[in-house]
Amino acid sequence: MKGNRSIFYTPENQYPGMPHGEMCGDFMPFFWQGTFYLFYLYKYCVYAVETKDFVSFGEPYLVLQNGSPEDQDWHIGTGSVFEHEGIFYFHYTGFCESNHGVEEKNEQVVMRALSRDLKTWEKDLSFFFKPDARYYGNLHWRDPHVFWNEEIGKYCMLITATEKEGAYLRSGCTAVYVSEDVRNWEHYKTLYAPRTFITHECHDCFQMGGKWYLSFSNYSRWWETRYRMADAFDGPYKVPEKDDMFDGREYYAAKSVTDGEKRYMVGWESIREGCKDSGRHLWGGNLLVHELTLRADGSLGVKLPEKIEKSFNTPLSIWPTERQGSLSGDADKIEVCAEDGFGWAELGKLKEICMFQTTITWEEGTRAAGLMIHADADLKKWCQLRLEFKHGRIEMDRYNRVDGDQQYLDERPVTFKGNSAQVKLVVSGNIMLVYVDDVALTARCYEIGVGSIGIFTEYGKIVCTDTQLLEQEKCEKTCATA
């Protein structure tokens, strides 16, 4: 396999027309003795890759081979790994699409495998957990997530399920089963059933700061990972007041993992069909990891993991150049003013893999500001991170969306604190990952090459301080592009 082994991991390089089976997705993270083991779906099997820092990765290896078309695990689906009494348990989904509608058979069944070293796994043919028709529908029954629940003193298994009755494509729910010995499982309750989504995929449930958080992914509208919060495991689980997502509309199947000190959300950033900006979003893509942060109101924010940020340690030149509007100051304090419309300044040249950061402060009344990414001097091509102050949101836009190309913009809600925001941008190939304070937005730009980085304002004035453009040490020799 020849893929990307730096930050935005993939086992295969992307290329136009990339088939579905070549993409990876649904990372199932597990931390053990200083190493993050990232299990993931690839070519209908499960593979794994190891990392200690989310910066560099080892070579991938096969964990579970899928079966024949007659086997229940013809295609293997998402699951989870945990350790109990020296044995590692991997509960996963066995898909056999040809079983759909066949009496006494099931399309989706929970299965498991066992290991003593996290490397060699043996399927446990005695374990076969089919849909529990006493309480749930007979189709969606997958993505088992098992963890030790200290609050109730038992192991819990969360399962993607559907209510037996419900409105069309709105019966998705979270089923919970419990066990004391990880062999015998009994029904506990339906943890969450909002009558809103088709299903709740790739569950996770964890505690931070005295609260419980239930995360899940849903494909009803976009690729999206959402979360709910509660004071106790049993709920009730409520929607965060302002924002219930960790990233934008292309961040999917994110599950959490902790090293005992910090907790990370490990998901994937979707690719587009044909690797074109006009293509629809497809299942699978690149690894994308956020570190979770806890806000004062109990809601969750995210930030760039510390070890990823520290890997960018080689400064690149900043040379502010006026393009439109007026520019003043120097690299330590860059001021751009355009009271009558749009103004921007070019600051430097992006590398294939690099990080840009700055603190933007704006005068009262300024309509918008942000970054010009991959831009050329006359703006024939560009991407733009927009901070829209009056609307309380950030957006990722791209050039020349006219004449039938008015696709939706990638956007996130933001609560701006005063008139200042810290902005970080990580670029790797066609990926653009942005943090505005503790809010993330990731997008892709396939059809323009590497360009410059700049700052802009609309109808107002901004000042940028603490501005840096950095690359990884020896990056050009050791890193592949995303």
Side-chain angles (χ1 to χ4, degrees), residues 376-434:
D376 53 21
D378 54 5
L379 295 188
K380 289 183 178 180
K381 293 183 178 181
W382 48 268
C383 296
Q384 185 185 71
L385 171 73
R386 297 179 57 83
L387 282 64
E388 299 201 334
F389 309 123
K390 294 186 180 298
H391 297 294
R393 68 188 178 200
I394 56 176
E395 295 180 338
M396 190 69 79
D397 198 0
R398 64 179 176 84
Y399 69 103
N400 297 339
R401 294 186 307 104
V402 295
D403 296 336
D405 188 24
Q406 291 88 353
Q407 299 184 40
Y408 71 77
L409 302 180
D410 292 300
E411 63 179 48
R412 297 292 317 285
V414 175
T415 300
F416 293 110
K417 303 174 181 65
N419 282 34
S420 182
Q422 186 181 61
V423 180
K424 285 187 174 71
L425 164 72
V426 176
V427 168
S428 181
N430 56 62
I431 294 176
M432 300 172 293
L433 163 61
V434 173

Side-chain angles (χ1 to χ4, degrees), residues 124-138:
D124 180 1
L125 301 182
S126 69
F127 189 88
F128 193 85
F129 191 4
K130 63 183 182 179
D132 190 346
R134 297 174 300 169
Y135 307 103
Y136 303 103
N138 197 33

Side-chain angles (χ1 to χ4, degrees), residues 4-19:
N4 171 40
R5 300 287 187 269
S6 175
I7 302 178
F8 302 104
Y9 171 85
T10 54
E12 300 281 358
N13 282 328
Q14 296 169 23
Y15 55 88
M18 188 176 192

Side-chain angles (χ1 to χ4, degrees), residues 100-360:
H100 182 67
V102 178
E103 190 174 356
E104 301 298 324
K105 291 189 176 182
N106 302 100
E107 180 178 333
Q108 301 172 25
V109 167
V110 174
M111 307 176 75
R112 77 178 179 191
L114 308 178
S115 175
R116 289 190 177 275
D117 61 3
L118 289 169
K119 301 279 190 179
T120 303
W121 293 83
E122 183 177 349
K123 295 179 181 179
D124 180 1
L125 301 182
S126 69
F127 189 88
F128 193 85
F129 191 4
K130 63 183 182 179
D132 190 346
R134 297 174 300 169
Y135 307 103
Y136 303 103
N138 197 33
L139 175 58
H140 297 284
W141 193 256
R142 62 181 180 274
D143 303 350
H145 181 77
V146 181
F147 65 99
W148 172 254
N149 188 330
E150 190 71 40
E151 188 169 286
I152 64 175
K154 295 181 180 181
Y155 283 94
C156 288
M157 180 189 296
L158 277 58
I159 299 177
T160 292
T162 51
E163 296 179 292
K164 295 187 72 171
E165 297 180 358
Y168 181 64
L169 298 182
R170 283 179 170 265
S171 59
C173 65
T174 301
V176 180
Y177 288 74
V178 296
S179 175
E180 295 180 351
D181 59 10
V182 307
R183 290 183 292 275
N184 302 293
W185 295 87
E186 61 182 19
H187 183 255
Y188 182 69
K189 68 180 299 182
T190 299
L191 192 65
Y192 188 59
R195 302 175 300 283
T196 304
F197 305 109
I198 299 172
T199 58
H200 308 163
E201 293 196 309
C202 303
H203 290 98
D204 196 356
C205 198
F206 55 89
Q207 284 182 291
M208 282 185 70
K211 289 188 179 293
W212 281 89
Y213 298 89
L214 173 68
S215 66
F216 60 92
S217 290
N218 163 67
Y219 53 85
S220 297
R221 292 165 290 186
W222 312 311
W223 297 116
E224 58 185 25
T225 302
R226 297 184 179 273
Y227 77 96
R228 303 293 183 257
M229 49 196 293
D231 293 325
F233 172 72
D234 282 348
Y237 283 86
K238 299 181 179 180
V239 182
E241 182 177 351
K242 296 180 180 179
D243 181 20
D244 68 340
M245 294 171 65
F246 302 101
D247 201 316
R249 299 167 175 172
E250 302 154 26
Y251 183 57
Y252 201 69
K255 294 162 70 75
S256 83
V257 65
T258 180
D259 59 5
E261 296 181 2
K262 299 177 180 180
R263 186 171 291 272
Y264 305 90
M265 291 302 295
V266 181
W268 48 266
E269 172 70 9
S270 173
I271 71 167
R272 287 183 180 267
E273 188 173 30
C275 292
K276 295 182 178 179
D277 290 329
S278 58
R280 66 188 181 94
H281 292 293
L282 300 178
W283 182 94
N286 292 70
L287 173 71
L288 177 52
V289 181
H290 297 299
E291 182 180 329
L292 288 177
T293 62
L294 192 61
R295 298 174 179 141
D297 64 357
S299 65
L300 297 175
V302 296
K303 68 177 183 178
L304 186 64
E306 182 180 4
K307 289 184 179 179
I308 294 180
E309 183 169 346
K310 287 185 176 180
S311 73
F312 293 95
N313 51 21
T314 302
L316 299 172
S317 297
I318 297 283
W319 32 264
T321 303
E322 183 177 293
R323 294 302 183 193
Q324 292 179 286
S326 64
L327 169 69
S328 59
D330 54 27
D332 294 326
K333 185 178 181 181
I334 309 165
E335 300 182 16
V336 178
C337 183
E339 302 284 354
D340 60 345
F342 172 81
W344 79 289
E346 189 173 353
L347 301 185
K349 182 73 173 179
L350 293 172
K351 296 283 189 177
E352 187 73 14
I353 301 176
C354 62
M355 183 179 77
F356 174 82
Q357 60 185 16
T358 191
T359 298
I360 300 177

Side-chain angles (χ1 to χ4, degrees), residues 1 5 9 11 30 35-42 45-51 57-65 90 115 117-121:
M1 301 178 189
R5 300 287 187 269
Y9 171 85
F30 179 69
T35 298
F36 294 98
Y37 293 81
L38 306 183
F39 300 85
Y40 60 89
L41 304 185
Y42 177 67
C45 303
V46 175
Y47 282 73
V49 68
E50 299 171 20
T51 181
F57 301 81
E59 289 298 317
Y61 53 90
L62 178 66
V63 171
L64 290 178
Q65 177 69 53
F90 187 0
S115 175
D117 61 3
L118 289 169
K119 301 279 190 179
T120 303
W121 293 83

